[in-house]
Amino acid sequence: MPQDRLRLAMIQENPTVGDLDGNAALAITHITENRHADLIVFSECFVTGYPLGDLVLRPGFLRDTDRAVSRIRDHVIATGGPPVLIGAPIAGTGLPFNAALLIEPSGSTRVVRKTELPNSDVFDERRTFAMAEPDSQGPLTFKGFRLGVMICEDMWHGRVARHLSDELADVLIVLNGSPYQGGKHEVRLANARARVRATGLPLLYVNQVGGQDELVFDGGSFTLNPDGA
């Protein structure tokens, strides 16, 4: 019987770029500590840390990332959950994809690929990642709900949210690796509220926190009701 509500744990954490074993262990710690959640949501590229730059193009890195994802999946299977929605790069036919993985206790893993790739300031994702087709992905059915999953830049443009709404999503969930700059949180909220107004859907925004090279990630995770509150 489908559930009439979901209990989500939103993990605002500081993964380390390239520390696949450490990030997997950190994810497993949060899974263990949130046993009563229906779904645990991590940030963008949590398994590898973010941003990755050319590291994601190195031979063997995606293979090692798959091993770290398998370690997390094995834990979810062995403990019976809870399910996990977590960011990680995955292989493509050419360049890899920036992806979100929904891992369930059955071992089933479903994938959402990032559509909008930032290519300004500190980001150069169009050079290192493949872009998913904007209309090729729909909501993920999960415990009676349809989860409209977006990855960071996807929220800053309306077409991904509109497509998910057209495909009957019940909620928008956004995995982020969004660095700090003055006034950034207000800009994020304004964009999120625009997506909520356009779709009439609630929105959950999970961002990483901590430092990576010259970047500071300020967290600032939030949720919005359908009225924008």
Side-chain angles (χ1 to χ4, degrees):
M1 181 178 178
Q3 297 181 192
D4 62 358
R5 67 185 66 188
L6 287 177
R7 183 184 292 112
L8 283 80
M10 300 164 62
I11 306 302
Q12 180 173 283
E13 254 290 3
N14 181 18
T16 301
V17 168
D19 185 8
L20 301 174
D21 290 338
N23 295 337
L26 188 58
I28 288 169
T29 295
H30 283 290
I31 295 168
T32 302
E33 291 176 350
N34 289 277
R35 290 284 305 152
H36 299 296
D38 293 310
L39 178 65
I40 303 177
V41 184
F42 293 87
S43 56
E44 179 177 13
C45 283
F46 188 94
V47 176
T48 57
Y50 184 83
L52 285 164
D54 286 358
L55 181 61
V56 76
L57 302 176
R58 289 188 181 181
F61 184 74
L62 292 180
R63 178 198 62 220
D64 294 340
T65 299
D66 287 343
R67 290 193 186 119
V69 170
S70 294
R71 181 179 168 192
I72 295 168
R73 182 187 297 111
D74 290 345
H75 177 82
V76 172
I77 294 170
T79 58
V84 167
L85 182 63
I86 193 166
I90 62 170
T93 54
L95 293 173
F97 288 98
N98 185 335
L101 312 177
L102 178 58
I103 302 171
E104 302 201 52
S106 65
S108 166
T109 301
R110 286 176 284 166
V111 177
V112 173
R113 298 166 178 85
K114 190 172 183 178
T115 296
E116 304 286 357
L117 301 180
N119 203 52
S120 59
D121 297 328
V122 298
F123 295 108
D124 191 13
E125 287 201 3
R126 294 180 191 175
R127 184 176 60 84
T128 56
F129 286 109
M131 179 183 295
E133 291 296 326
D135 299 331
S136 64
Q137 305 175 114
L140 303 178
T141 301
F142 178 77
K143 298 192 175 185
F145 291 82
R146 293 172 62 81
L147 310 180
V149 178
M150 299 189 288
I151 303 173
C152 204
E153 189 79 7
D154 290 343
M155 190 197 74
W156 293 68
H157 307 273
R159 63 174 179 166
V160 180
R162 285 195 302 270
H163 172 69
L164 292 169
S165 176
D166 289 346
E167 294 296 318
L168 305 180
D170 296 307
V171 59
L172 301 174
I173 301 177
V174 193
L175 284 63
N176 299 272
S178 180
Y180 170 80
Q181 65 185 48
K184 184 72 167 288
H185 189 63
E186 289 72 20
V187 175
R188 292 179 193 134
L189 280 170
N191 277 279
R193 287 194 170 109
R195 304 293 84 80
V196 166
R197 284 195 303 271
T199 63
L201 299 175
L203 182 146
L204 295 89
Y205 182 102
V206 183
N207 192 27
Q208 74 178 43
V209 68
Q212 171 57 35
D213 293 334
E214 76 278 13
L215 300 179
V216 173
F217 293 89
D218 57 316
S221 303
F222 59 87
T223 63
L224 292 177
N225 287 332
D227 63 359

